[in-house]
Amino acid sequence: MPVITTPQEFDVDDLFVDLRRIFGRPLYLKCEGFNFAGSIKLRAAREMVDSAERAGLLRPGMTLVESSSGNLGVALTLVAASRGYGFVCVTDSRCTHASQRLMRRLGAEVQVVTEPHPERGLLGARLERVARLCAAHADFHWLNQYTNPGNWQAHYRTTGPQIAKAFPDLDVLFVGAGTTGTLMGCARFFKETNAAVTVVGIDAVGSVNFGGEPGTRMIPGLGTSVRPAILDESVVDDTVLVSETDTVRTCHALLRHGFLLGGSTGSVVSGALRWLAGNRPGTEVTAVAVAPDLGERYLDTVYHDAWVRDVYGPDVLDHAPDPVDHGPDGLDQGPDLLDHDPDVHDHGTGPVTSAGPVPVGPNAPWSL
């Protein structure tokens, strides 16, 4: 029986969902978010604060400040409250109202940026706000998740080893790319311990992480408008860009089977299924995708039909995949899982061939 004294001590790290029954592909989903912060960001928050304390950068009574689209902000709010620090979260209008309310109830000050930087978007405007706050307050400390090595080291020490322990025969790992902390930590871990594992980064259309054209993104979590300094493409074997329409459709497909998961998970699962169909068709592989958070904070956005139709058009949910038929072996045959946006494309960063759009129709390679 676990007994804890601070919220960051509790974190379920060994829960995996077998998605083969739903999508007919051999894909395991590492489900994060079963902790008091509700996401995988609790590990980075804890590591970055620990590192700052060890370095003498934090003293009692100081205030942490960070730019966050939501999940890291919630995680830092918990850590700050348990250790006696103040916390200011600088976010933008894409941050869900649920995350904003939660941070404020836990004692954080939340500042919402609404006007984007002319060249670096909303993230650039957030970073400028953080810099001004730190210049004006000598007792503020910016953890800076975009450059802080603790962001990726947390996953090098925890998430990567957890996956390796659960799946010693792992072939492919899919990780979403936001600040790229989770991706970098896991990728570095496997490059050093099992280089045979193919690491695929999943990014959002409109993100500049892997050289894509900047564009409007409405779902927080994946993608950035300013490339993170901690990103090292040399440890990533391939990348997949996913449109937000495919993100929403995949989230709703998972929901029909009882899995209420975050927006980033929809992107990661969509990209993973497309990559597997294009790169490992007809092959039995051991593949794992990381689900960063749960879906309760997205009930007003990704899972709100009116919001989805207002943002993406009236027909988006009409094209969401219907429940698929099960074949004689119990696997889904899945012909029309995703109707992919023709603008979605993949960028190969290594020797692995990028997957094109998932074939649809009766011959789609969803069953093995």
Side-chain angles (χ1 to χ4, degrees), residues 15 41-42 68 78 86 88 100 161 182 200 207 214 217 233 241 258 260 269 316 320 325 352 355 359 363:
L15 178 62
K41 290 291 190 176
L42 181 61
S68 170
L78 291 182
V88 177
Q100 294 182 42
T182 308
V200 181
S207 168
R217 291 172 290 108
E233 292 186 58
L241 293 182
L260 180 65
V269 171
V316 171
D325 296 328
V352 182
N363 297 318

Side-chain angles (χ1 to χ4, degrees), residues 64 73-74 76-78 80-81 85-89 99-111:
L64 300 171
V74 173
L76 283 172
T77 302
L78 291 182
Y85 300 119
F87 177 55
V88 177
C89 180
S99 293
Q100 294 182 42
R101 289 194 300 268
L102 180 56
M103 285 187 280
R104 290 189 173 108
R105 290 299 300 170
L106 288 168
E109 177 185 340
V110 180
Q111 298 191 13

Side-chain angles (χ1 to χ4, degrees), residues 213-280:
E213 289 295 321
T216 301
R217 291 172 290 108
M218 298 301 296
I219 300 174
L222 297 193
T224 65
S225 55
V226 180
R227 179 185 166 97
I230 61 173
L231 173 59
D232 177 4
E233 292 186 58
S234 70
V235 296
V236 181
D237 298 299
D238 204 0
T239 59
V240 181
L241 293 182
V242 176
S243 72
E244 289 191 343
T245 53
D246 283 343
T247 295
V248 170
R249 291 166 184 162
T250 305
C251 283
H252 282 252
L254 288 163
L255 183 64
R256 282 195 293 276
H257 290 267
F259 293 105
L260 180 65
L261 297 164
S264 297
T265 299
S267 298
V268 172
V269 171
S270 175
L273 293 171
R274 176 155 35 116
W275 192 94
L276 289 169
N279 290 273
R280 298 290 191 273

Side-chain angles (χ1 to χ4, degrees), residues 19 38 43 55 62 76 100 117 129 143 147 151 160 163 171 177 185 205 234 240 268 304 322 339:
L19 295 180
R43 292 179 200 150
M62 290 186 67
L76 283 172
Q100 294 182 42
H117 184 279
R129 174 76 63 86
L143 293 167
T147 64
N151 190 359
I163 295 169
D171 296 306
V205 170
S234 70
V240 181
V268 172
H304 192 291
D322 293 325
D339 180 14

Side-chain angles (χ1 to χ4, degrees), residues 58-143:
L58 284 175
R59 300 180 302 279
M62 290 186 67
T63 295
L64 300 171
V65 60
E66 185 57 271
S67 159
S68 170
S69 61
N71 281 338
L72 182 68
V74 173
L76 283 172
T77 302
L78 291 182
V79 176
S82 71
R83 300 192 186 186
Y85 300 119
F87 177 55
V88 177
C89 180
V90 178
T91 187
D92 61 57
S93 51
R94 295 170 299 185
C95 180
T96 66
H97 292 299
S99 293
Q100 294 182 42
R101 289 194 300 268
L102 180 56
M103 285 187 280
R104 290 189 173 108
R105 290 299 300 170
L106 288 168
E109 177 185 340
V110 180
Q111 298 191 13
V112 182
V113 172
T114 58
E115 293 297 325
H117 184 279
E119 297 175 355
R120 300 188 297 161
L122 285 168
L123 177 54
R126 278 161 40 186
L127 297 178
E128 285 192 348
R129 174 76 63 86
V130 170
R132 289 197 301 270
L133 286 170
C134 290
H137 300 276
D139 61 340
F140 277 27
H141 177 69
W142 181 19
L143 293 167

